[in-house]
């Protein structure tokens, strides 16, 4: 579903991604971890072309993300993304947040969009909040709306960039629970997170990055029990 091959990226003289290669099979959950500044956000954003890269290739479901001819709105509608900060439109109701892109990009009618949006809102446990504004919801609730909004586009895969790291501790699980459900239903997911409990529960594979490099990747049991690199060992020692 996602094939990243020898991707490198520079900001001026600074190389932020170094020859990164990894892949995500259909239905797989891949967790990306590593120290702050190691390039995790940059890597995940290259997948839906929010960040350009200078060499290598990325294919999403056969679509060449780096090709000049790539249809960006179409690509991004297929690849759902949820960020650390919820990024809901503050001036729109939850319902309008859920329906806007469906109508604009997928050309659904308002009624169709509302039906789909409300169904997903119900699924993340927030059916009663459709007419509120984002500011009236807690951080955890807003993040669940952000997930519902991405799902409303019927994505073929989902990217998450530290979706719980801006949340108060008591709200982390309500968001992780939604993500665990999604994973169990077979959604293809690439997740940057330090929530190793989540990784242990649903990841198929863990990718460890440091200094712009994919230092190692392994099935989760192997990564947690016997990380190969010293850098991964040191990282795990700090966060576990
Ligand atoms: P992570 O998500 O692992 O914390 P990032 O991908 O956000 O790491 O950043 C990787 C590195 O790239 C960091 O050193 C960061 O300072 C640098 N960086 C990120 N964005 C830019 C930018 N727009 N210009 C220059 N350097 C950047
Ligand atoms: Mg980041």
């Amino acid at each position: 579903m996602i094939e990243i091959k020898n991707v490198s990226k520079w900001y001026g003289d600074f190389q932020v991604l170094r020859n990164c290669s990894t892949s995500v099979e259909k239905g797989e959950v891949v967790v990306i971890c590593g120290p702050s500044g190691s390039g995790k956000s940059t890597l995940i954003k290259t997948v839906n072309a929010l960040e350009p890269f200078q060499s290598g290739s990325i294919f999403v479901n056969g679509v060449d993300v780096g090709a000049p001819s790539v249809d960006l709105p179409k690509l991004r509608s297929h690849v759902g993304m949820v960020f650390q900060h919820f990024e809901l439109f503050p001036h729109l109701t939850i319902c309008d947040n859920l329906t806007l892109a469906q109508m604009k990009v997928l050309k659904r009618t308002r009624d169709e969009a509302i039906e789909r949006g409300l169904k997903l809102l119900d699924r993340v446990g927030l059916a009663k909040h459709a007419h509120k504004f984002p500011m009236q919801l807690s951080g955890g609730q807003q993040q669940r709306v952000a997930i519902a909004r991405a799902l409303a586009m019927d994505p073929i895969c989902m990217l998450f960039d530290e979706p719980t790291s801006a949340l108060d501790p008591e709200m982390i699980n309500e968001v992780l629970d939604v993500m665990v459900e999604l994973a169990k239903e077979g959604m293809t997911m690439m997740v940057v997170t330090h929530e190793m409990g989540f990784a242990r529960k649903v990841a198929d594979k863990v990718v460890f990055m440091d200094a712009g490099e994919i230092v190692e990747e392994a099935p989760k049991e192997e990564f947690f029990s016997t990380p190969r690199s010293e850098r991964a060992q040191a990282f795990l020692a700090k966060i576990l």
Side-chain angles (χ1 to χ4, degrees):
M1 182 70 79
I2 301 173
E3 178 85 55
I4 299 174
K5 244 189 190 154
N6 302 326
V7 166
S8 291
K9 175 182 172 76
W10 287 262
Y11 287 118
D13 290 342
F14 174 67
Q15 188 168 6
V16 56
L17 296 177
R18 299 171 179 270
N19 218 25
C20 293
S21 299
T22 189
S23 60
V24 188
E25 303 297 320
K26 190 172 192 299
E28 237 183 7
V29 177
V30 173
V31 162
I32 302 175
C33 63
S36 176
S38 56
K40 306 179 299 295
S41 295
T42 306
L43 181 69
I44 204 167
K45 285 186 199 151
T46 59
V47 173
N48 65 352
L50 285 176
E51 288 282 0
F53 50 93
Q54 283 90 23
S55 70
S57 65
I58 300 181
F59 284 82
V60 177
N61 203 26
V63 173
D64 183 352
V65 171
S69 59
V70 70
D71 182 343
L72 288 180
K74 191 170 169 198
L75 172 73
R76 290 185 188 140
S77 76
H78 284 159
V79 181
M81 176 129 195
V82 175
F83 300 91
Q84 178 174 2
H85 296 285
F86 332 118
E87 327 230 342
L88 298 175
F89 303 115
H91 58 294
L92 296 181
T93 63
I94 301 308
C95 185
D96 289 341
N97 264 282
L98 287 165
T99 54
L100 186 67
Q102 293 189 65
M103 294 189 292
K104 274 210 157 144
V105 181
L106 302 182
K107 311 289 179 210
R108 289 183 181 153
T109 65
R110 173 170 292 277
D111 285 349
E112 285 167 347
I114 289 177
E115 190 187 337
R116 181 85 182 120
L118 292 183
K119 201 164 157 191
L120 287 162
L121 199 58
D122 186 38
R123 181 161 153 200
V124 299
L126 296 170
K128 284 189 215 142
H129 301 274
H131 299 292
K132 291 189 179 166
F133 285 89
M135 260 179 46
Q136 296 171 284
L137 301 185
S138 72
Q141 290 173 325
Q142 289 185 52
Q143 195 61 304
R144 281 144 68 199
V145 172
I147 295 172
R149 182 176 64 175
L151 293 175
M153 303 299 282
D154 298 326
I156 54 173
C157 58
M158 288 281 288
L159 311 176
F160 293 85
D161 189 4
E162 301 205 37
T164 60
S165 59
L167 297 176
D168 291 333
E170 74 272 19
M171 295 172 189
I172 290 176
N173 280 332
E174 66 191 57
V175 172
L176 291 178
D177 287 348
V178 170
M179 293 169 62
V180 167
E181 279 305 304
L182 258 185
K184 287 187 175 159
E185 286 163 20
M187 177 61 79
T188 306
M189 295 162 63
M190 200 165 169
V191 185
V192 176
T193 186
H194 291 158
E195 294 293 335
M196 292 299 130
F198 171 82
R200 280 179 196 274
K201 215 182 267 177
V202 295
D204 294 290
K205 178 164 94 179
V206 179
V207 170
F208 174 72
M209 290 185 75
D210 191 22
E213 233 182 307
I214 293 183
V215 177
E216 66 179 272
E217 68 171 64
K220 67 175 169 208
E221 301 82 9
E222 193 181 315
F223 180 76
F224 289 117
S225 63
T226 48
R228 291 187 298 270
S229 64
E230 267 176 39
R231 285 190 275 180
Q233 288 164 14
F235 174 76
L236 285 172
K238 267 187 219 155
I239 66 161
L240 289 182

